[in-house]
Amino acid sequence: MAAAVAAAPGALGSLHAGGARLVAACSARLCPGLRLPSSLAGRRVGPAIWAQGWVPAAGGPAPKRGYSSEMKTEDELRVRHLEEENRGIVVLGINRAYGKNALSKNLIKMLSKAVDALKSDKKVRTIIIRSEVPGIFCAGADLKERAKMSSSEVGPFVSKIRAVINDIANLPVPTIAAIDGLALGGGLELALACDIRVAASSAKMGLVETKLAIIPGGGGTQRLPRAIGMSLAKELIFSARVLDGQEAKAVGLISHVLEQNQEGDAAYRKALDLAREFLPQVKCISRCGVTSENM
């Protein structure tokens, strides 16, 4: 395993476009709230068509808004500073519906910019990372975009993903990942960088990279063992097993599991409750110079 961990930085960069089919298959099997329209069902469709084609299944949570592949890139990450009784809570909302919230160059750039601003903002007390796309937290790296990169571009891009995830892990205030949908590969690694994870029972989580004959390269091989223990972490990584919310809670991967609500944001609502509970204490320890980093 030690050799595998050492190889992680280069391994993530070896992903290819065929991996998009893996995410598609996982979503089709693991997200009962989403389905392909009948016009696409049973067909071999490319990643671009697939990414835009999913719609809520009968009885699934309805989307709060329409999405388009023409969405402005600046809308892919929405930073909200809450007010009134929630003052001090900042919500980072990932909003790449047409890309299943996959980590693209632009999204990583926006995350980096937001994190840099937040870590020096003395008014920030707690940060929540959530998805604004129904049924998806983050599907991992954007394999479609990766396939278009030259070999000289892949390495720096992968390093940037890892750096941003590390920056989130080192933020000086509590961070909460609200997982209301699919969190695979780099999406779960993003959640693992947070201090606390809460999820809906219908959410699906896993480090699935070994299905592509590689291993997680965004810190998952280090952070998953810290969360659930070395032996079980190896088992999940080697098997590429995907857990639902109840299973994730049972092994200690998440702190709270909630039945999903009609709006599809049960985990976010629980994260917001926790953030409100943290506010008085975080303000106090902040004045004493104690941060999330040195606790």
Side-chain angles (χ1 to χ4, degrees):
M1 184 64 186
V5 171
L12 184 60
S14 67
L15 290 173
H16 50 77
R21 291 192 294 273
L22 169 65
V23 180
C26 288
S27 292
R29 181 170 61 88
L30 299 172
C31 291
L34 298 175
R35 65 173 178 81
L36 275 174
S38 57
S39 61
L40 298 179
R43 291 172 49 194
R44 290 179 62 86
V45 296
I49 297 175
W50 169 81
Q52 298 175 38
W54 290 92
V55 297
K64 297 178 182 178
R65 59 186 69 85
Y67 297 104
S68 166
S69 59
E70 300 301 319
M71 180 184 295
K72 295 179 180 179
T73 55
E74 60 264 27
D75 292 334
E76 292 182 355
L77 183 70
R78 295 176 175 174
V79 181
R80 291 191 295 130
H81 292 253
L82 305 189
E83 297 294 338
E84 299 178 354
E85 71 272 14
N86 297 323
R87 187 180 300 275
I89 301 173
V90 176
V91 179
L92 301 181
I94 307 174
N95 192 43
R96 288 195 76 221
Y98 59 93
K100 297 310 189 188
N101 281 355
L103 300 172
S104 64
K105 283 183 178 180
N106 184 67
L107 180 56
I108 288 298
K109 179 180 179 180
M110 296 185 71
L111 274 169
S112 178
K113 181 178 179 180
V115 171
D116 282 345
L118 293 173
K119 66 185 179 185
S120 59
D121 188 340
K122 302 302 182 183
K123 297 180 181 179
V124 176
R125 296 291 181 257
T126 302
I127 298 169
I128 299 172
I129 300 179
R130 65 167 301 195
S131 167
E132 298 197 2
V133 180
I136 297 287
F137 176 73
C138 175
D142 189 332
L143 303 182
K144 179 184 174 184
E145 181 182 74
R146 182 82 57 80
K148 298 177 181 178
M149 295 181 191
S150 67
S151 57
S152 62
E153 292 176 308
V154 171
F157 174 62
V158 173
S159 296
K160 187 62 177 177
I161 291 178
R162 191 176 304 111
V164 169
I165 290 176
N166 286 338
D167 284 345
I168 291 171
N170 292 326
L171 280 166
V173 296
T175 52
I176 309 171
I179 307 171
D180 275 305
L182 200 69
L184 296 180
L188 181 55
E189 290 178 303
L190 178 63
L192 282 166
C194 295
D195 297 311
I196 297 163
R197 290 163 294 283
V198 299
S201 58
S202 57
K204 304 295 180 181
M205 292 156 272
L207 297 178
V208 298
E209 288 88 344
T210 51
K211 286 185 179 291
L212 299 175
I214 59 175
I215 64 172
T221 53
Q222 290 78 45
R223 294 190 178 97
L224 187 61
R226 295 171 194 164
I228 66 174
M230 181 64 74
S231 180
L232 184 54
K234 288 181 178 181
E235 180 181 329
L236 295 182
I237 292 171
F238 294 159
S239 64
R241 189 179 306 158
V242 175
L243 307 179
D244 63 25
Q246 295 289 353
E247 292 168 329
K249 176 65 168 64
V251 300
L253 179 56
I254 62 175
S255 300
H256 301 275
V257 59
L258 302 308
E259 289 299 319
Q260 189 57 280
N261 57 29
Q262 187 173 1
E263 292 76 17
D265 65 352
Y268 170 65
R269 294 191 184 193
K270 179 62 178 179
L272 193 55
D273 286 343
L274 290 173
R276 289 175 182 138
E277 186 178 353
F278 296 166
L279 280 178
Q281 288 68 239
V282 175
K283 290 177 182 177
C284 178
I285 63 177
S286 179
R287 287 195 297 269
C288 299
V290 180
T291 71
S292 180
E293 292 178 273
N294 55 33
M295 287 180 67

